[in-house]
Amino acid sequence: MTAAIPDRDVLVGIYRRMTRIKQNDERFRAVLKSGKLVMPYYSPRGQEVIPSAVSACLSDEDYICTIYRGVHDMIAKGIPLKDLWAEFGGRVTGTCKGKGGPMHVTHPATGVMVTTGIVGSSMPIANGLALAAQIRGEKRVAVAYFGDGASNIGAFHEALNMASVWKLPVIFVCQNNGYAEHTKYAYGTSVPNVAQRAVAYAMPGVTVDGNDPVAMYHTAREAVERARAGQGPTLIEAKTFRFHGHVFGDADAYMDKGEKDAWMAKDPVPLYRAWLIATGNASEEELATLESDIEGEIDEALEFTLNSPYPDVAELKRDVFKDEVSV
Ligand SMILES: Cc1ncc(C[n+]2csc(CCOP(=O)(O)OP(=O)(O)O)c2C)c(N)n1
Ligand SMILES: [Mg+2]
């Protein structure tokens, strides 16, 4: 862990977000296995620290744009679990009336502005939101989450260039989990560290241990403060690993087993839990209560989803254009 340790409330807040993500992921996978819900699911297990630490530096007013794997980003930002589950389950009570599904969740009240399945597209969209905030003179910042593979897409380079030229209040957060679908990082990326690419766009580029909550928090905080102060964007590359296959059902045979075992042995959630207790920042009882409260929240979200109806077929034509189309 790095030198300056944040306040206890910040530290426990990060753990609460991480735990909500981990337990939620475990439940999603169990429910999928049971067949109670059917959906494409991209597990973020192993990547809990990154958005939990970033979100500790943001408010509801701040925006995030995320990707198909970004359920952890949304939960860390504070999206209510009931609304999230209902959308994942395609129910009318979901954030987008069940018409977006897991890959297109939007919840403006908590700043979750877009979830996209188009690799690389979170960055130009975050630029647009940041530009709007800049024009209106608001103090909001926009975070674009994306993967290592996305840093090889043209939109990444265009977005970084534009954000730098216009000094947009954006934080580009690359969650480098070492794989793009089934392709190992070095097979498809020209630089050892994605953050090196920031040099080409005249912005700070930082590579950080994305599984270290304190280091991640400090890095995010500096970038958020910079953006809020009108000093422009930062590229953060957070090194991490995903514990499961690319998508639910992928047996990850392309992954080196030794590599996977080594990362899983350093699971950031129990490690951080033990650290919080060892350093006197939290007690065993406090964390156990926090965990069981979250389990209850997830129970409620699941029940709410299973008891909610699917959208009516008339919804197909609604919310597509400004005025409902008649086909
Ligand atoms: C424009 C585009 N090209 C290709 C794909 C197919 N695709 C889906 S996920 C993915 C890998 C992305 O990897 P990365 O950016 O590292 O994110 P991760 O899944 O590891 O979080 C690809 C190539 C896509 N969805 N969009
Ligand atoms: Mg990746």
Side-chain angles (χ1 to χ4, degrees), residues 25 29 43-45 69 241-247 250 252 254-255 260 264:
D25 175 80
R29 286 185 293 108
S43 171
R45 186 73 184 87
R69 195 179 306 289
F241 196 79
R242 63 166 155 80
F243 287 179
H244 299 290
H246 174 64
V247 64
D250 161 5
D252 60 34
Y254 50 88
M255 270 192 185
K260 188 174 167 171
M264 288 180 88

PDB file of all heavy atoms in Angstrom, residues 25 29 43-45 69 241-247 250 252 254-255 260 264:
ATOM      1  N   ASP A  25     -21.897 -10.298  -8.396  1.00  0.00           N
ATOM      2  CA  ASP A  25     -21.381 -11.153  -9.470  1.00  0.00           C
ATOM      3  C   ASP A  25     -21.626 -12.626  -9.140  1.00  0.00           C
ATOM      4  O   ASP A  25     -22.055 -13.409 -10.000  1.00  0.00           O
ATOM      5  CB  ASP A  25     -19.873 -10.905  -9.656  1.00  0.00           C
ATOM      6  CG  ASP A  25     -19.267 -11.857 -10.672  1.00  0.00           C
ATOM      7  OD1 ASP A  25     -19.421 -11.609 -11.877  1.00  0.00           O
ATOM      8  OD2 ASP A  25     -18.675 -12.874 -10.249  1.00  0.00           O
ATOM      9  N   ARG A  29     -24.077 -15.124 -11.414  1.00  0.00           N
ATOM     10  CA  ARG A  29     -23.632 -16.381 -12.014  1.00  0.00           C
ATOM     11  C   ARG A  29     -24.438 -17.561 -11.496  1.00  0.00           C
ATOM     12  O   ARG A  29     -24.781 -18.463 -12.250  1.00  0.00           O
ATOM     13  CB  ARG A  29     -22.112 -16.561 -11.817  1.00  0.00           C
ATOM     14  CG  ARG A  29     -21.330 -15.615 -12.751  1.00  0.00           C
ATOM     15  CD  ARG A  29     -19.822 -15.783 -12.726  1.00  0.00           C
ATOM     16  NE  ARG A  29     -19.258 -15.396 -11.456  1.00  0.00           N
ATOM     17  CZ  ARG A  29     -18.770 -16.233 -10.556  1.00  0.00           C
ATOM     18  NH1 ARG A  29     -18.715 -17.518 -10.826  1.00  0.00           N
ATOM     19  NH2 ARG A  29     -18.295 -15.792  -9.420  1.00  0.00           N
ATOM     20  N   SER A  43     -18.474 -11.262 -16.700  1.00  0.00           N
ATOM     21  CA  SER A  43     -18.120 -11.089 -15.287  1.00  0.00           C
ATOM     22  C   SER A  43     -16.933 -10.125 -15.103  1.00  0.00           C
ATOM     23  O   SER A  43     -15.894 -10.280 -15.742  1.00  0.00           O
ATOM     24  CB  SER A  43     -17.760 -12.446 -14.682  1.00  0.00           C
ATOM     25  OG  SER A  43     -17.225 -12.258 -13.399  1.00  0.00           O
ATOM     26  N   PRO A  44     -17.093  -9.189 -14.181  1.00  0.00           N
ATOM     27  CA  PRO A  44     -15.978  -8.289 -13.842  1.00  0.00           C
ATOM     28  C   PRO A  44     -15.222  -8.757 -12.591  1.00  0.00           C
ATOM     29  O   PRO A  44     -14.419  -8.019 -12.044  1.00  0.00           O
ATOM     30  CB  PRO A  44     -16.711  -6.973 -13.544  1.00  0.00           C
ATOM     31  CG  PRO A  44     -17.975  -7.424 -12.882  1.00  0.00           C
ATOM     32  CD  PRO A  44     -18.327  -8.783 -13.467  1.00  0.00           C
ATOM     33  N   ARG A  45     -15.483  -9.977 -12.153  1.00  0.00           N
ATOM     34  CA  ARG A  45     -14.874 -10.495 -10.913  1.00  0.00           C
ATOM     35  C   ARG A  45     -13.351 -10.431 -11.026  1.00  0.00           C
ATOM     36  O   ARG A  45     -12.767 -10.904 -12.005  1.00  0.00           O
ATOM     37  CB  ARG A  45     -15.370 -11.923 -10.696  1.00  0.00           C
ATOM     38  CG  ARG A  45     -14.965 -12.572  -9.416  1.00  0.00           C
ATOM     39  CD  ARG A  45     -15.687 -12.027  -8.188  1.00  0.00           C
ATOM     40  NE  ARG A  45     -15.126 -12.687  -7.013  1.00  0.00           N
ATOM     41  CZ  ARG A  45     -14.042 -12.238  -6.363  1.00  0.00           C
ATOM     42  NH1 ARG A  45     -13.447 -11.122  -6.719  1.00  0.00           N
ATOM     43  NH2 ARG A  45     -13.573 -12.913  -5.343  1.00  0.00           N
ATOM     44  N   ARG A  69     -18.796  -5.234 -19.958  1.00  0.00           N
ATOM     45  CA  ARG A  69     -18.300  -5.843 -18.717  1.00  0.00           C
ATOM     46  C   ARG A  69     -18.513  -4.909 -17.522  1.00  0.00           C
ATOM     47  O   ARG A  69     -18.140  -5.240 -16.406  1.00  0.00           O
ATOM     48  CB  ARG A  69     -16.792  -6.181 -18.829  1.00  0.00           C
ATOM     49  CG  ARG A  69     -16.319  -7.135 -17.727  1.00  0.00           C
ATOM     50  CD  ARG A  69     -14.837  -7.485 -17.839  1.00  0.00           C
ATOM     51  NE  ARG A  69     -14.505  -7.991 -19.133  1.00  0.00           N
ATOM     52  CZ  ARG A  69     -14.877  -9.179 -19.605  1.00  0.00           C
ATOM     53  NH1 ARG A  69     -15.576  -9.983 -18.848  1.00  0.00           N
ATOM     54  NH2 ARG A  69     -14.569  -9.550 -20.826  1.00  0.00           N
ATOM     55  N   PHE A 241      -6.940  -8.236 -13.560  1.00  0.00           N
ATOM     56  CA  PHE A 241      -7.132  -9.543 -14.196  1.00  0.00           C
ATOM     57  C   PHE A 241      -8.587  -9.952 -14.018  1.00  0.00           C
ATOM     58  O   PHE A 241      -9.173  -9.675 -12.978  1.00  0.00           O
ATOM     59  CB  PHE A 241      -6.222 -10.584 -13.519  1.00  0.00           C
ATOM     60  CG  PHE A 241      -6.057 -11.844 -14.303  1.00  0.00           C
ATOM     61  CD1 PHE A 241      -5.179 -11.908 -15.378  1.00  0.00           C
ATOM     62  CD2 PHE A 241      -6.783 -12.984 -13.967  1.00  0.00           C
ATOM     63  CE1 PHE A 241      -5.026 -13.086 -16.106  1.00  0.00           C
ATOM     64  CE2 PHE A 241      -6.639 -14.156 -14.691  1.00  0.00           C
ATOM     65  CZ  PHE A 241      -5.755 -14.210 -15.763  1.00  0.00           C
ATOM     66  N   ARG A 242      -9.151 -10.597 -15.060  1.00  0.00           N
ATOM     67  CA  ARG A 242     -10.517 -11.095 -14.855  1.00  0.00           C
ATOM     68  C   ARG A 242     -10.471 -12.574 -14.495  1.00  0.00           C
ATOM     69  O   ARG A 242      -9.744 -13.341 -15.105  1.00  0.00           O
ATOM     70  CB  ARG A 242     -11.408 -10.810 -16.077  1.00  0.00           C
ATOM     71  CG  ARG A 242     -10.995 -11.488 -17.377  1.00  0.00           C
ATOM     72  CD  ARG A 242     -12.114 -11.425 -18.407  1.00  0.00           C
ATOM     73  NE  ARG A 242     -11.661 -11.501 -19.785  1.00  0.00           N
ATOM     74  CZ  ARG A 242     -11.331 -12.611 -20.435  1.00  0.00           C
ATOM     75  NH1 ARG A 242     -11.349 -13.784 -19.818  1.00  0.00           N
ATOM     76  NH2 ARG A 242     -10.957 -12.562 -21.689  1.00  0.00           N
ATOM     77  N   PHE A 243     -11.245 -12.936 -13.474  1.00  0.00           N
ATOM     78  CA  PHE A 243     -11.184 -14.295 -12.939  1.00  0.00           C
ATOM     79  C   PHE A 243     -11.949 -15.307 -13.777  1.00  0.00           C
ATOM     80  O   PHE A 243     -11.751 -16.513 -13.631  1.00  0.00           O
ATOM     81  CB  PHE A 243     -11.748 -14.326 -11.513  1.00  0.00           C
ATOM     82  CG  PHE A 243     -10.849 -13.689 -10.478  1.00  0.00           C
ATOM     83  CD1 PHE A 243     -11.241 -13.628  -9.147  1.00  0.00           C
ATOM     84  CD2 PHE A 243      -9.608 -13.170 -10.821  1.00  0.00           C
ATOM     85  CE1 PHE A 243     -10.418 -13.071  -8.187  1.00  0.00           C
ATOM     86  CE2 PHE A 243      -8.781 -12.597  -9.869  1.00  0.00           C
ATOM     87  CZ  PHE A 243      -9.198 -12.547  -8.545  1.00  0.00           C
ATOM     88  N   HIS A 244     -12.859 -14.836 -14.610  1.00  0.00           N
ATOM     89  CA  HIS A 244     -13.676 -15.764 -15.392  1.00  0.00           C
ATOM     90  C   HIS A 244     -13.447 -15.533 -16.878  1.00  0.00           C
ATOM     91  O   HIS A 244     -12.755 -14.603 -17.263  1.00  0.00           O
ATOM     92  CB  HIS A 244     -15.148 -15.600 -15.022  1.00  0.00           C
ATOM     93  CG  HIS A 244     -15.400 -15.897 -13.574  1.00  0.00           C
ATOM     94  ND1 HIS A 244     -15.319 -17.171 -13.051  1.00  0.00           N
ATOM     95  CD2 HIS A 244     -15.668 -15.077 -12.536  1.00  0.00           C
ATOM     96  CE1 HIS A 244     -15.551 -17.116 -11.751  1.00  0.00           C
ATOM     97  NE2 HIS A 244     -15.757 -15.862 -11.412  1.00  0.00           N
ATOM     98  N   GLY A 245     -14.042 -16.375 -17.693  1.00  0.00           N
ATOM     99  CA  GLY A 245     -13.889 -16.253 -19.140  1.00  0.00           C
ATOM    100  C   GLY A 245     -14.445 -14.935 -19.647  1.00  0.00           C
ATOM    101  O   GLY A 245     -15.061 -14.175 -18.901  1.00  0.00           O
ATOM    102  N   HIS A 246     -14.236 -14.665 -20.927  1.00  0.00           N
ATOM    103  CA  HIS A 246     -14.698 -13.404 -21.515  1.00  0.00           C
ATOM    104  C   HIS A 246     -16.189 -13.201 -21.254  1.00  0.00           C
ATOM    105  O   HIS A 246     -16.608 -12.144 -20.808  1.00  0.00           O
ATOM    106  CB  HIS A 246     -14.408 -13.412 -23.021  1.00  0.00           C
ATOM    107  CG  HIS A 246     -14.970 -12.235 -23.739  1.00  0.00           C
ATOM    108  ND1 HIS A 246     -14.556 -10.944 -23.483  1.00  0.00           N
ATOM    109  CD2 HIS A 246     -15.936 -12.146 -24.690  1.00  0.00           C
ATOM    110  CE1 HIS A 246     -15.243 -10.107 -24.254  1.00  0.00           C
ATOM    111  NE2 HIS A 246     -16.079 -10.809 -24.985  1.00  0.00           N
ATOM    112  N   VAL A 247     -16.967 -14.233 -21.537  1.00  0.00           N
ATOM    113  CA  VAL A 247     -18.411 -14.170 -21.329  1.00  0.00           C
ATOM    114  C   VAL A 247     -18.836 -15.440 -20.594  1.00  0.00           C
ATOM    115  O   VAL A 247     -18.141 -16.463 -20.677  1.00  0.00           O
ATOM    116  CB  VAL A 247     -19.144 -13.999 -22.690  1.00  0.00           C
ATOM    117  CG1 VAL A 247     -18.962 -15.188 -23.608  1.00  0.00           C
ATOM    118  CG2 VAL A 247     -20.632 -13.689 -22.522  1.00  0.00           C
ATOM    119  N   ASP A 250     -17.833 -19.225 -21.337  1.00  0.00           N
ATOM    120  CA  ASP A 250     -16.520 -19.373 -21.978  1.00  0.00           C
ATOM    121  C   ASP A 250     -15.614 -20.101 -20.986  1.00  0.00           C
ATOM    122  O   ASP A 250     -15.420 -19.647 -19.853  1.00  0.00           O
ATOM    123  CB  ASP A 250     -16.010 -17.954 -22.304  1.00  0.00           C
ATOM    124  CG  ASP A 250     -14.510 -17.865 -22.551  1.00  0.00           C
ATOM    125  OD1 ASP A 250     -13.834 -18.908 -22.579  1.00  0.00           O
ATOM    126  OD2 ASP A 250     -14.025 -16.738 -22.727  1.00  0.00           O
ATOM    127  N   ASP A 252     -12.521 -20.438 -20.899  1.00  0.00           N
ATOM    128  CA  ASP A 252     -11.195 -19.801 -20.877  1.00  0.00           C
ATOM    129  C   ASP A 252     -10.011 -20.765 -21.059  1.00  0.00           C
ATOM    130  O   ASP A 252      -8.996 -20.670 -20.368  1.00  0.00           O
ATOM    131  CB  ASP A 252     -11.022 -18.854 -19.681  1.00  0.00           C
ATOM    132  CG  ASP A 252     -11.168 -19.482 -18.306  1.00  0.00           C
ATOM    133  OD1 ASP A 252     -10.790 -20.635 -18.164  1.00  0.00           O
ATOM    134  OD2 ASP A 252     -11.648 -18.789 -17.400  1.00  0.00           O
ATOM    135  N   TYR A 254      -7.960 -20.738 -23.389  1.00  0.00           N
ATOM    136  CA  TYR A 254      -6.838 -19.983 -23.956  1.00  0.00           C
ATOM    137  C   TYR A 254      -5.979 -19.345 -22.873  1.00  0.00           C
ATOM    138  O   TYR A 254      -4.925 -18.801 -23.144  1.00  0.00           O
ATOM    139  CB  TYR A 254      -7.374 -18.882 -24.892  1.00  0.00           C
ATOM    140  CG  TYR A 254      -8.460 -18.070 -24.208  1.00  0.00           C
ATOM    141  CD1 TYR A 254      -8.154 -16.958 -23.440  1.00  0.00           C
ATOM    142  CD2 TYR A 254      -9.797 -18.478 -24.278  1.00  0.00           C
ATOM    143  CE1 TYR A 254      -9.151 -16.255 -22.784  1.00  0.00           C
ATOM    144  CE2 TYR A 254     -10.795 -17.780 -23.617  1.00  0.00           C
ATOM    145  CZ  TYR A 254     -10.464 -16.679 -22.872  1.00  0.00           C
ATOM    146  OH  TYR A 254     -11.451 -15.994 -22.213  1.00  0.00           O
ATOM    147  N   MET A 255      -6.448 -19.381 -21.632  1.00  0.00           N
ATOM    148  CA  MET A 255      -5.696 -18.741 -20.546  1.00  0.00           C
ATOM    149  C   MET A 255      -4.709 -19.716 -19.937  1.00  0.00           C
ATOM    150  O   MET A 255      -5.017 -20.887 -19.768  1.00  0.00           O
ATOM    151  CB  MET A 255      -6.663 -18.314 -19.436  1.00  0.00           C
ATOM    152  CG  MET A 255      -7.193 -16.937 -19.599  1.00  0.00           C
ATOM    153  SD  MET A 255      -8.016 -16.459 -18.063  1.00  0.00           S
ATOM    154  CE  MET A 255      -8.670 -14.879 -18.556  1.00  0.00           C
ATOM    155  N   LYS A 260      -3.580 -17.613 -14.212  1.00  0.00           N
ATOM    156  CA  LYS A 260      -4.888 -17.404 -13.608  1.00  0.00           C
ATOM    157  C   LYS A 260      -4.857 -17.734 -12.106  1.00  0.00           C
ATOM    158  O   LYS A 260      -5.346 -16.966 -11.279  1.00  0.00           O
ATOM    159  CB  LYS A 260      -5.910 -18.268 -14.342  1.00  0.00           C
ATOM    160  CG  LYS A 260      -7.308 -17.977 -13.932  1.00  0.00           C
ATOM    161  CD  LYS A 260      -8.298 -18.739 -14.769  1.00  0.00           C
ATOM    162  CE  LYS A 260      -9.637 -18.643 -14.082  1.00  0.00           C
ATOM    163  NZ  LYS A 260     -10.727 -19.129 -14.841  1.00  0.00           N
ATOM    164  N   MET A 264      -5.698 -15.286  -8.949  1.00  0.00           N
ATOM    165  CA  MET A 264      -6.815 -15.610  -8.056  1.00  0.00           C
ATOM    166  C   MET A 264      -6.356 -15.777  -6.610  1.00  0.00           C
ATOM    167  O   MET A 264      -7.102 -15.503  -5.667  1.00  0.00           O
ATOM    168  CB  MET A 264      -7.583 -16.833  -8.564  1.00  0.00           C
ATOM    169  CG  MET A 264      -8.389 -16.473  -9.804  1.00  0.00           C
ATOM    170  SD  MET A 264      -9.343 -17.823 -10.491  1.00  0.00           S
ATOM    171  CE  MET A 264     -10.866 -17.695  -9.581  1.00  0.00           C
TER     172      MET A 264
END
